[in-house]
Amino acid sequence: MNALLMNNLSLAQRYAAQVRRRLTVLALLLLALLLVFAADLGTGPSGIAWSTVWQGLLAPQALDEGTRVILWDVRLPYAVMAVLVGAALGLAGAQMQTVLNNPLASPFTLGLSAAATVGASLAIVTGFTAWGLGPDIALPLCAFGGAVVAALLIHLLAWRWGASVNAVVLFGIALMFSFEALLWLLQFLADSNALQQIVFWSMGSLGRSTWPKIGILATVVLVCAAWTQSQAWAMTALRSGEDHARSSGVDVERLRLVSLVRVSLLSGTALAFVGTIGFVGLVGPHIARLILGEDHRFYLPASALAGALMLSCASILSKVLLPGVVLPIGIVTALVGVPVFMLLVLRHQGGLRA
């Protein structure tokens, strides 16, 4: 019946129906994110009642000082940072998988995460304080610097020598192992206190979230999201193949270079504030592709929403798995991300065989 009805619809009507369905899916993803965000806000070791949380959001002055600090200075920054970091990593992973034409590409594939960890570890081992600004500024600054160095090396390879997609991916993997070797060297040289800080930072944590950091990351995510969306048509054409994209007027090399710049900004800024968080940039875009396809007008925002949804769920799990203890969120994303990714791969292969 549906097939007969679809056959009777004009091409324009079918296109409009498809657009409405995809917009509906995006709206459902946004609704799911809002619900999970509310659940994340109401979850925590202090056991604040839901009614108190809701009252505190509407009228903070009605709360006692301790509850107000927990809600507005701990839980709210924690939950908002989870949304922003997940969106940044999801959007970065979607762009990488498109421009590198590799479903396993993510901000970690090119060694950006390992480079950020080395930068942060260097600040810890040397006691660098960013010229008196303090370790809270020095640590994210050095982590961002490490990610930028890795991105510049990759950009140099892609731009100066016109490296192929496979060469860029292989260079990124080699870069990742090189930075991991440097990290092991720093851990070997560090004293027990510094070593403990390095290990904790490399596990990833939202506990260092503050409103100034959220403001910086929100600005980067909004600018990069608008910038990426303006090139959605070119990216959709690129998914049909480089030759097809070039015949449609797309400057493939420039698109790839600009996309890597955005990936560096998104992943470098996010990782600088929260440490190493894996699998979000890999799994989020796969979820978006499975439910919305390759049209990047919808795929890109869906990847950001899926990444934010995934990290918000991980944030809740990090607070409820062990009562009274908040686990580093990088551990949760790794534990949950691997089976989810394998499930997606097996389901995708089953769909192809069918």
Side-chain angles (χ1 to χ4, degrees), residues 221-233:
V221 170
L222 288 175
V223 170
C224 287
W227 188 7
T228 307
Q229 200 65 27
S230 69
Q231 295 181 320
W233 177 85

PDB file of all heavy atoms in Angstrom, residues 221-233:
ATOM      1  N   VAL A 221      32.509  25.540  19.098  1.00  0.00           N
ATOM      2  CA  VAL A 221      31.554  24.593  18.515  1.00  0.00           C
ATOM      3  C   VAL A 221      30.555  25.310  17.611  1.00  0.00           C
ATOM      4  O   VAL A 221      30.271  24.849  16.493  1.00  0.00           O
ATOM      5  CB  VAL A 221      30.813  23.823  19.637  1.00  0.00           C
ATOM      6  CG1 VAL A 221      29.656  23.012  19.055  1.00  0.00           C
ATOM      7  CG2 VAL A 221      31.774  22.888  20.360  1.00  0.00           C
ATOM      8  N   LEU A 222      30.027  26.439  18.053  1.00  0.00           N
ATOM      9  CA  LEU A 222      29.039  27.166  17.250  1.00  0.00           C
ATOM     10  C   LEU A 222      29.653  27.679  15.943  1.00  0.00           C
ATOM     11  O   LEU A 222      29.042  27.548  14.869  1.00  0.00           O
ATOM     12  CB  LEU A 222      28.470  28.332  18.058  1.00  0.00           C
ATOM     13  CG  LEU A 222      27.521  27.950  19.206  1.00  0.00           C
ATOM     14  CD1 LEU A 222      27.125  29.176  20.007  1.00  0.00           C
ATOM     15  CD2 LEU A 222      26.281  27.253  18.653  1.00  0.00           C
ATOM     16  N   VAL A 223      30.843  28.260  16.027  1.00  0.00           N
ATOM     17  CA  VAL A 223      31.495  28.788  14.815  1.00  0.00           C
ATOM     18  C   VAL A 223      31.807  27.655  13.840  1.00  0.00           C
ATOM     19  O   VAL A 223      31.520  27.743  12.637  1.00  0.00           O
ATOM     20  CB  VAL A 223      32.777  29.563  15.197  1.00  0.00           C
ATOM     21  CG1 VAL A 223      33.586  29.893  13.946  1.00  0.00           C
ATOM     22  CG2 VAL A 223      32.427  30.832  15.950  1.00  0.00           C
ATOM     23  N   CYS A 224      32.391  26.568  14.354  1.00  0.00           N
ATOM     24  CA  CYS A 224      32.771  25.451  13.482  1.00  0.00           C
ATOM     25  C   CYS A 224      31.528  24.749  12.914  1.00  0.00           C
ATOM     26  O   CYS A 224      31.546  24.291  11.764  1.00  0.00           O
ATOM     27  CB  CYS A 224      33.636  24.447  14.247  1.00  0.00           C
ATOM     28  SG  CYS A 224      35.307  25.033  14.579  1.00  0.00           S
ATOM     29  N   ALA A 225      30.455  24.656  13.702  1.00  0.00           N
ATOM     30  CA  ALA A 225      29.233  24.013  13.201  1.00  0.00           C
ATOM     31  C   ALA A 225      28.641  24.811  12.041  1.00  0.00           C
ATOM     32  O   ALA A 225      28.238  24.240  11.013  1.00  0.00           O
ATOM     33  CB  ALA A 225      28.225  23.875  14.334  1.00  0.00           C
ATOM     34  N   ALA A 226      28.576  26.142  12.197  1.00  0.00           N
ATOM     35  CA  ALA A 226      28.041  26.982  11.116  1.00  0.00           C
ATOM     36  C   ALA A 226      28.947  26.921   9.880  1.00  0.00           C
ATOM     37  O   ALA A 226      28.469  26.850   8.735  1.00  0.00           O
ATOM     38  CB  ALA A 226      27.901  28.420  11.612  1.00  0.00           C
ATOM     39  N   TRP A 227      30.254  26.937  10.112  1.00  0.00           N
ATOM     40  CA  TRP A 227      31.232  26.867   9.022  1.00  0.00           C
ATOM     41  C   TRP A 227      31.106  25.528   8.279  1.00  0.00           C
ATOM     42  O   TRP A 227      31.101  25.479   7.041  1.00  0.00           O
ATOM     43  CB  TRP A 227      32.624  27.044   9.617  1.00  0.00           C
ATOM     44  CG  TRP A 227      33.737  27.197   8.637  1.00  0.00           C
ATOM     45  CD1 TRP A 227      33.632  27.335   7.277  1.00  0.00           C
ATOM     46  CD2 TRP A 227      35.136  27.257   8.935  1.00  0.00           C
ATOM     47  NE1 TRP A 227      34.873  27.453   6.711  1.00  0.00           N
ATOM     48  CE2 TRP A 227      35.807  27.415   7.712  1.00  0.00           C
ATOM     49  CE3 TRP A 227      35.861  27.181  10.110  1.00  0.00           C
ATOM     50  CZ2 TRP A 227      37.194  27.491   7.640  1.00  0.00           C
ATOM     51  CZ3 TRP A 227      37.249  27.268  10.045  1.00  0.00           C
ATOM     52  CH2 TRP A 227      37.900  27.423   8.823  1.00  0.00           C
ATOM     53  N   THR A 228      30.996  24.443   9.030  1.00  0.00           N
ATOM     54  CA  THR A 228      30.875  23.120   8.413  1.00  0.00           C
ATOM     55  C   THR A 228      29.565  22.980   7.638  1.00  0.00           C
ATOM     56  O   THR A 228      29.540  22.439   6.528  1.00  0.00           O
ATOM     57  CB  THR A 228      30.928  22.029   9.511  1.00  0.00           C
ATOM     58  OG1 THR A 228      32.076  22.215  10.313  1.00  0.00           O
ATOM     59  CG2 THR A 228      30.978  20.641   8.886  1.00  0.00           C
ATOM     60  N   GLN A 229      28.478  23.501   8.218  1.00  0.00           N
ATOM     61  CA  GLN A 229      27.184  23.369   7.566  1.00  0.00           C
ATOM     62  C   GLN A 229      27.160  24.104   6.226  1.00  0.00           C
ATOM     63  O   GLN A 229      26.454  23.692   5.298  1.00  0.00           O
ATOM     64  CB  GLN A 229      26.091  23.917   8.501  1.00  0.00           C
ATOM     65  CG  GLN A 229      24.685  23.435   8.180  1.00  0.00           C
ATOM     66  CD  GLN A 229      24.508  21.931   8.383  1.00  0.00           C
ATOM     67  OE1 GLN A 229      25.197  21.341   9.181  1.00  0.00           O
ATOM     68  NE2 GLN A 229      23.602  21.325   7.629  1.00  0.00           N
ATOM     69  N   SER A 230      27.941  25.191   6.132  1.00  0.00           N
ATOM     70  CA  SER A 230      27.984  25.944   4.864  1.00  0.00           C
ATOM     71  C   SER A 230      28.640  25.129   3.753  1.00  0.00           C
ATOM     72  O   SER A 230      28.505  25.480   2.566  1.00  0.00           O
ATOM     73  CB  SER A 230      28.731  27.261   5.068  1.00  0.00           C
ATOM     74  OG  SER A 230      30.118  27.025   5.308  1.00  0.00           O
ATOM     75  N   GLN A 231      29.379  24.065   4.090  1.00  0.00           N
ATOM     76  CA  GLN A 231      30.023  23.216   3.085  1.00  0.00           C
ATOM     77  C   GLN A 231      29.381  21.828   3.023  1.00  0.00           C
ATOM     78  O   GLN A 231      30.003  20.877   2.548  1.00  0.00           O
ATOM     79  CB  GLN A 231      31.518  23.084   3.407  1.00  0.00           C
ATOM     80  CG  GLN A 231      32.270  24.405   3.289  1.00  0.00           C
ATOM     81  CD  GLN A 231      33.752  24.271   3.574  1.00  0.00           C
ATOM     82  OE1 GLN A 231      34.151  23.550   4.483  1.00  0.00           O
ATOM     83  NE2 GLN A 231      34.577  24.949   2.794  1.00  0.00           N
ATOM     84  N   ALA A 232      28.147  21.720   3.508  1.00  0.00           N
ATOM     85  CA  ALA A 232      27.480  20.415   3.551  1.00  0.00           C
ATOM     86  C   ALA A 232      27.280  19.846   2.143  1.00  0.00           C
ATOM     87  O   ALA A 232      27.462  18.641   1.916  1.00  0.00           O
ATOM     88  CB  ALA A 232      26.123  20.542   4.252  1.00  0.00           C
ATOM     89  N   TRP A 233      26.927  20.705   1.192  1.00  0.00           N
ATOM     90  CA  TRP A 233      26.704  20.208  -0.168  1.00  0.00           C
ATOM     91  C   TRP A 233      28.002  19.636  -0.756  1.00  0.00           C
ATOM     92  O   TRP A 233      27.992  18.569  -1.388  1.00  0.00           O
ATOM     93  CB  TRP A 233      26.194  21.350  -1.058  1.00  0.00           C
ATOM     94  CG  TRP A 233      26.013  20.928  -2.473  1.00  0.00           C
ATOM     95  CD1 TRP A 233      24.925  20.322  -3.029  1.00  0.00           C
ATOM     96  CD2 TRP A 233      26.987  21.048  -3.523  1.00  0.00           C
ATOM     97  NE1 TRP A 233      25.151  20.048  -4.356  1.00  0.00           N
ATOM     98  CE2 TRP A 233      26.398  20.485  -4.687  1.00  0.00           C
ATOM     99  CE3 TRP A 233      28.275  21.565  -3.602  1.00  0.00           C
ATOM    100  CZ2 TRP A 233      27.078  20.446  -5.916  1.00  0.00           C
ATOM    101  CZ3 TRP A 233      28.950  21.522  -4.813  1.00  0.00           C
ATOM    102  CH2 TRP A 233      28.349  20.966  -5.942  1.00  0.00           C
TER     103      TRP A 233
END
